[in-house]
Amino acid sequence: MARGLTGKQKAAILLISLGPEVSAEIFKHLRDEEIEELTIEIANIRKVSANDKADILSEFHDLLVAKDFISSGGIEYAKEVLEKALGNQKALDIIQRLTATLQVKPFDFVRKTDPAQLLNFIQSEHPQTIALIIAYLAPDQAATILSALPPDRQADVARRIAMMDSTSPDVIRDIERLLERKLSTVVSTDFTSAGGVQSVVDILNRVDRTTEKIIMESMEIQDPEMAEEIKKRMFVFEDIVQLDDRAIQQILRDVDSKDLALALKGSNEEVGAKVQRNMSKRASDMLKEDMEYMGPVRLRDVEDAQQRIVNIIRKLEEAGEIVIARGGGDEVIV
């Protein structure tokens, strides 16, 4: 192996070896500070020996193979396969480097489990246990499970996730073993932090509107300060009134007219007025006619339409086409 080189130097040599096109694609997935550090390292490298290049490419390949084994069968499975292929010491070195640098998270195997199947295994557990497991899931998967919980448990679990900071590795191991017995899977026992208010926000941004309302209304009673902190980081349909005219016009170009009429049917007058001010008179008149023509509508249909529009707004924000002010300050869309 390339002895005496730091992890950053190895990463820089790897990028040089992979070429500019592949390196540019990798940079898209890195944070700005990581790109800056690696760029400096690359700039400082004047020459790479053939041996160092070969060793680093081999090490990178071994780590990728080991990570793939861990993803499919867990750390013990990966260690067993690598030992047979590379020997005990080299396998141990690879596993140690992998867990130290790539931070294999607890419940890695759970993230590959179907949410409906996972729900069957955890719904009878204590809310704190459910919260811990959900905190380590991808937001979309976590949202599916949270939405499927009984309404009286949803807010409790969400509140526990928001209050979570870090958890004892021993507790994580115990819960992993419990799931291991239920799912018959070899698991990873590494420890990392999870949970917190932002974790709840990420999940609530992906659940349906009814689930979101149930959780927030209950949390406002149980823990008003936490509920306010969560709301500051979220965007709901009624927050359209906080957007400036350019943002509203951008959103209206992407929203289905039927969804807009249905969503406004159940909103307050301020939201309706804000939207119609940003439409032509003809479009505004057509919208009013559509709302009158549809007559009484189900609340669930209204909420679903509002959620679809909110999803569009959040996608526009993620794409950088609009900016939503966060934290309850005086910022506006630019």
Side-chain angles (χ1 to χ4, degrees):
M1 294 297 169
R3 304 291 182 184
L5 296 177
T6 66
K8 291 178 185 177
Q9 289 172 329
K10 289 181 180 180
I13 292 172
L14 175 66
L15 291 172
I16 292 172
S17 303
L18 293 175
E21 291 185 3
V22 176
S23 297
E25 289 298 314
I26 293 174
F27 273 0
K28 292 178 182 179
H29 302 279
L30 301 179
R31 298 190 301 271
D32 290 346
E33 60 268 25
E34 292 172 332
I35 294 174
E36 182 179 340
E37 291 173 357
L38 284 173
T39 301
I40 292 173
E41 290 293 343
I42 291 172
N44 287 332
I45 294 174
R46 295 288 180 264
K47 185 178 179 181
V48 180
S49 71
N51 287 338
D52 280 350
K53 179 179 177 180
D55 286 346
I56 288 169
L57 286 172
S58 176
E59 181 178 347
F60 178 65
H61 175 265
D62 289 342
L63 289 173
L64 282 181
V65 171
K67 188 172 187 297
D68 186 54
F69 287 148
I70 288 174
S71 297
S72 60
I75 283 184
E76 291 303 322
Y77 170 74
K79 185 171 179 291
E80 180 181 349
V81 175
L82 292 172
E83 283 177 349
K84 291 178 180 178
L86 305 173
N88 292 351
Q89 188 56 51
K90 189 171 183 181
L92 183 60
D93 289 344
I94 291 172
I95 293 295
Q96 287 177 341
R97 286 201 303 274
L98 186 65
T99 55
T101 59
L102 299 185
Q103 295 182 339
V104 180
K105 292 184 178 181
F107 305 107
D108 186 63
F109 73 95
V110 176
R111 288 186 286 277
K112 298 181 181 297
T113 304
D114 179 75
Q117 181 185 11
L118 180 58
L119 178 66
N120 290 334
F121 287 113
I122 70 173
Q123 61 184 347
S124 60
E125 298 296 331
H126 189 279
Q128 186 64 33
T129 301
I130 298 175
L132 178 62
I133 294 170
I134 287 180
Y136 282 101
L137 301 180
D140 288 338
Q141 191 180 22
T144 299
I145 293 177
L146 188 61
S147 299
L149 291 174
D152 61 330
R153 302 195 82 185
Q154 290 173 342
D156 188 17
V157 170
R159 183 176 61 84
R160 290 172 186 272
I161 295 173
M163 294 176 63
M164 200 180 297
D165 181 14
S166 60
T167 306
S168 163
D170 292 336
V171 173
I172 292 177
R173 290 190 188 98
D174 289 343
I175 296 175
E176 283 187 320
R177 291 190 185 106
L178 173 66
L179 286 178
E180 180 181 2
R181 289 195 297 271
K182 290 186 174 183
L183 298 175
S184 300
T185 304
V186 179
V187 301
S188 163
T189 56
D190 283 1
F191 165 67
T192 55
S193 296
V197 172
Q198 189 56 48
S199 179
V200 173
V201 171
D202 291 339
I203 295 171
L204 292 184
N205 279 344
R206 290 165 171 82
V207 301
D208 60 272
R209 186 75 192 279
T210 300
T211 300
E212 179 183 298
K213 287 178 65 177
I214 290 173
I215 290 173
M216 290 307 302
E217 288 172 359
S218 179
M219 195 169 288
E220 285 170 355
I221 297 173
Q222 297 178 26
D223 197 329
E225 291 184 4
M226 183 179 293
E228 183 61 27
E229 179 63 24
I230 291 173
K231 286 197 293 185
K232 284 180 179 179
R233 303 191 192 188
M234 291 185 65
F235 186 94
V236 295
F237 185 76
E238 288 74 18
D239 290 337
I240 286 176
V241 297
Q242 299 175 11
L243 305 182
D244 71 3
D245 291 344
R246 283 188 299 166
I248 296 290
Q249 293 159 18
Q250 173 70 40
I251 293 163
L252 290 176
R253 285 195 287 268
D254 292 356
V255 169
D256 182 88
S257 59
K258 293 182 179 178
D259 275 347
L260 182 61
L262 191 56
L264 291 177
K265 188 80 172 177
S267 67
N268 58 51
E269 293 181 2
E270 185 180 11
V271 174
K274 178 78 171 183
V275 170
Q276 291 180 359
R277 280 201 305 271
N278 285 280
M279 304 175 74
S280 66
K281 185 178 186 306
R282 180 172 178 275
S284 178
D285 290 342
M286 290 178 62
L287 176 63
K288 291 176 182 177
E289 288 177 7
D290 288 341
M291 293 172 64
E292 292 172 0
Y293 179 77
M294 67 176 54
V297 294
R298 293 188 306 171
L299 177 60
R300 179 56 187 257
D301 292 337
V302 170
E303 291 177 342
D304 288 345
Q306 290 178 347
Q307 189 62 48
R308 285 192 290 271
I309 294 174
V310 168
N311 291 341
I312 290 173
I313 293 172
R314 288 167 179 161
K315 286 181 180 178
L316 288 172
E317 183 192 31
E318 290 173 2
E321 297 186 36
I322 64 173
V323 178
I324 299 174
R326 305 287 180 178
D330 295 328
E331 297 175 65
V332 296
I333 301 304
V334 295

